[in-house]
Amino acid sequence: MSFRTTPPVDYVEDVSPGRGALAPRAWYASSDAKSLSLNGSWRLRVSPTADAEDDSFAEEGYDAGGWPEVTVPGHWVLQGDGAFGSPIYTNHLYPFPVDPPHVPTENPTGDHLRVFDLPANWPADGDAVLRFDGVESCARVWLNGTDIGEFKGSRLPHEFAVGRLLKPTGNVLAVRVHQWSAGSYLEDQDQWWLPGIFRDVTLLHRPVGSVGDFFVHASYDHTTGEGTLRVDSDVDGRVSVPALDIDVATGESVTVAVEPWSAETPKLYDGELVTAGERVPLRIGFRTVVLEGGLIKVNGKAILFKGVNRHEWHPEKGRALDLATMREDVLLMKRHNLNAVRTSHYPPHPAFLDLCDEYGLWVIDECDLETHGFTEQAWRDNPVDDDRWTPALLDRAARMVERDKNHPSIVFWSLGNEAGTGRGLTAMAEWIHGRDPERLVHYEGDWDCRDTDVYSRMYAFHDEVEQIGQQLDGGTHKRRELPFIQCEYGHAMGNGPGGLADYQELFEKYDRLQGGFIWEWIDHGIKHAELGYAYGGDFGEELHDGNFVCDGLIFPDRTPSPGLVEYKKVIEPVRIEGDGADGTVRVTNKYDFADLSGLAFEWSYQVDGETVEAGSLSVPALAPGESADVKLPEPPSQQTGGETQWTVRALLAAETAWAPKDHVVAWGQFPVSARQLPSIAASEGPTGSERLITLGPASFDARTGALKTIGGVEVTAPRLDVWRAPTDNDDGAEWQTDTRFGMLWRKYGLHRMRHRLDAVELGDDTLTVRTRVAPAAWEVGLATEYRWTSDGTRLKLTVSVTPEGDWKVPLPRLGVRFGLAQADAVRWFGGGPGEAYPDTRTASMVGRWHSSVDELQTPYVRPQENGARADVRWVELGGLRIEGDPEFWFTARRWTSEQLEAARHLTDLSAGETVWVNLDHGQHGIGSQSCGPGPLPQYFLKAEPTQFSFVFSTTASAE
């Protein structure tokens, strides 16, 4: 066989989807037909351009023994310790010149080789199909020296008929993969650009008479309780479902009584499709999706999406996920009360959809399409409005729908993301509606809803969402009659997102609002030896979007962030409310389909944060939407004094497929009696010498009035602090037109406040230090008075703050900061166990908690303000006990806020000898402004006259 010395590369810039691939069809995990996985070790050669090497590597007998090995599935830039190039992260800007369909000459190209033998029992009859489940971004394929075609569509399957080319041993599979192609213009999703064969490669035997394409139609009539099954198949056969006594020919409908499938009750029936040559297992879920009365209904009921956007990600393997990792994602979602996933912004590995069917998640399956970078040129030459590209768009739509159409979990097909509008999208919508009228079509960019069945938006602010809920938003007549979802909201970048509870209140208040999907599931940090986790710019990219790729509810290692814990509480499917004073709790079932028979309820009674008695609570098996008032037992009579409260939890009554027995699904707390505020009788007065002032157990610097010790515990003087290391949401997105607080705080110098000493006054029973705290260059300040008193054993600090001048911005925080020479173990009574801020405190449970200083830190990939505990009554650390009036926020770190702000990665932070403690009277809200709204006004920390106090004493560990 002859080979050209200069291979043609015109296909790389061809707008067509490719050549040689078979028509798309339904994907299934297994059958009784033979298959051979070609995953594993492959040889790889990476060239700088598409035409740097000829085709000879694909010829039988080519010696690639000197080539390095890589793992498939995998991305070559994540293997070889940088020898094969580096990842590139951009949010929406193309990392190459925009000149569609052309791509740079500098086009990294990976030649992959795999030599394989057929198993000894491989059948000699029939045909064979070679399937690629995902290759980025363009591939050309040879088998045993024969060019069998090329394809684009990175996150979509492509199959080739290869039976005539196979031989028993020594089969040579050659795949040339180009990083850039015309297809790259359609794949400008917010993610790392990672070339390679990143999903499975499989050889499938196709026996004579084997299953071709098939479509499982399984509807449910909620008025009769019956399901209707029909399996359409390219090849005649029979369908059996033993549990339903079904045995019918393909194409024939049968109606029987069934249990329906839903995300809450994911009932699947095992069946089988049998043709003359193959038996394919089926997992059938009966459900009906309709748009009725302006609402999305499944099985006759309007549903509320409590969802998340999910990119596929692993910190070492990129988008090459294994089944265990996919299952871990689904289990985490279920355990945190999520009920829906939008597969942003491409169809996921098909096994993930199997898991959604099995465990129960509503799915918006999104096409592998985004042309976001065209926004920079006002969508000029946008492929979705260029007829030359329409075949490629239709091919992508068909490959998604045909592959995934038999999954009951999928309720929406999505045309893609952030691609503007155009004729190509209309063609996709028309094709999908015609091919599968049993599901709905989604696309956020179509605000007029010309092509879609839902009004979808991203990052709409709370006030606009409420207007939409009230149907006061205007728009086209069609749009006003459609339900509304937020396909992206609650941008989970760094500390946050804030304001989720406020959104959920709106979703539950207005029927038209059918929920939303948090952006997004996981931080896309890449594991890095020196940096911990790398993000955009860490690989020397000339164009990048920094840590915007780290905006998930779980950290790269899949540890839940405080944002996920908050979201779990906000969307919990059981509402537990009550008035602790009258001993009654109201339980409301917020599920759409399930009753409460699967849950057990328990109560506990706390005194000063410690549980003194607990027991089970009898709650009826409420139907969805029902409520019941349940009487709590009489409080323990022997418990008098102190702060008391009830806590009621809803737990799994038995082990489920996704969580163990006693997993907490929901909880509520109800105060009974308030705490007694700390106070001391000022019975001792200050005494002074040339260098020291003493007051009760404390000593102060005589010149400055700065606290030095309390009962032998050395303290770096407490003083007013207003600065926090800005969060990603504080800094806001550069395209935001709303206030970006981090920038304003720096503009007004809140990160460089100066402390002027005005007076140190010794009274009969009081030491008063008067200061003014203000930034250079501005006529604003905070007149601050520290008033110290003591009863001989304890020390009280009362801080009074009076703003001066015209304050145009809220404060980041307001409290005192001081240092302790030694501190590790921390105990506190207040909110926990994790961090909380004014608009992220729903999940903060009042109790007694303990931690180490290091464990108090939240490891956001880019360091920023974190770790505050809310509603703290008292805290003990470093030999001190500190009680607050009123309750306060508490943080403790082995670095200052300034050091935290300067760090770009966690590895930049070095523990110092001092533990820095913040006792905050107030914190500014968090919001979601890294891509959404900032904090709501009620969470602003305004500069206004304020007074708060703390009582210090020593603990046994200090004595």
Side-chain angles (χ1 to χ4, degrees), residues 363-415:
V363 175
I364 296 181
D365 197 2
E366 192 147 274
C367 195
D368 190 9
L369 172 62
E370 181 168 337
T371 63
H372 199 166
F374 284 87
T375 57
E376 299 303 310
Q377 46 188 24
W379 301 107
R380 183 170 57 84
D381 297 329
N382 187 1
V384 303
D385 200 31
D386 184 335
D387 291 340
R388 295 175 301 166
W389 294 81
T390 300
L393 303 184
L394 289 172
D395 179 76
R396 288 172 183 244
R399 291 189 181 279
M400 170 182 69
V401 172
E402 302 296 8
R403 190 197 77 167
D404 297 341
K405 58 183 177 283
N406 295 324
H407 291 283
S409 56
I410 298 172
V411 293
F412 270 98
W413 301 115
S414 179
L415 303 182

Side-chain angles (χ1 to χ4, degrees), residues 680-686 695-696 764-766 789-794:
I680 63 173
S683 57
E684 287 203 10
L695 176 61
D764 291 341
D765 57 7
T766 306
T789 56
S790 177
D791 62 0
T793 59
R794 296 179 297 163

Side-chain angles (χ1 to χ4, degrees), residues 175-208:
V175 185
R176 172 164 284 166
V177 180
H178 307 282
Q179 174 155 21
W180 311 122
S181 70
S184 301
Y185 284 99
L186 304 180
E187 297 172 4
D188 189 28
Q189 293 101 337
D190 176 10
Q191 62 182 341
W192 293 95
W193 298 87
L194 299 172
I197 305 172
F198 69 94
R199 286 187 186 158
D200 306 293
V201 182
T202 312
L203 184 67
L204 303 168
H205 179 244
R206 308 309 298 140
V208 176

Side-chain angles (χ1 to χ4, degrees), residues 657-692:
W658 48 269
K661 181 179 181 294
D662 295 331
H663 167 79
V664 177
V665 173
W667 57 271
Q669 286 190 315
F670 324 107
V672 178
S673 60
R675 73 178 179 125
Q676 185 175 353
L677 294 175
S679 64
I680 63 173
S683 57
E684 287 203 10
T687 59
S689 65
E690 183 177 349
R691 294 189 176 183
L692 283 180

Side-chain angles (χ1 to χ4, degrees), residues 445-494:
D446 182 12
W447 283 21
D448 290 335
C449 301
R450 178 183 63 180
D451 302 321
T452 62
D453 300 310
V454 64
Y455 178 28
S456 176
R457 289 280 301 282
M458 52 177 69
Y459 308 110
F461 287 19
H462 296 76
D463 55 354
E464 184 184 6
V465 170
E466 181 154 32
Q467 281 191 322
I468 294 170
Q470 296 170 335
Q471 296 185 309
L472 300 175
D473 56 305
T476 63
H477 179 74
K478 179 183 178 182
R479 189 180 90 180
R480 295 198 304 272
E481 293 184 336
L482 291 179
F484 175 82
I485 64 171
Q486 285 246 65
C487 68
E488 293 180 21
Y489 82 108
H491 196 251
M493 185 175 178

Side-chain angles (χ1 to χ4, degrees), residues 678-735:
S679 64
I680 63 173
S683 57
E684 287 203 10
T687 59
S689 65
E690 183 177 349
R691 294 189 176 183
L692 283 180
I693 298 171
T694 59
L695 176 61
S699 65
F700 301 79
D701 184 280
R703 184 181 64 84
T704 65
L707 178 67
K708 297 173 68 69
T709 64
I710 302 176
V713 176
E714 295 184 7
V715 179
T716 303
R719 66 178 188 173
L720 194 75
D721 189 20
V722 301
W723 185 243
R724 72 184 187 196
T727 68
D728 291 312
N729 288 305
D730 288 339
D731 283 338
E734 63 183 27
W735 59 84

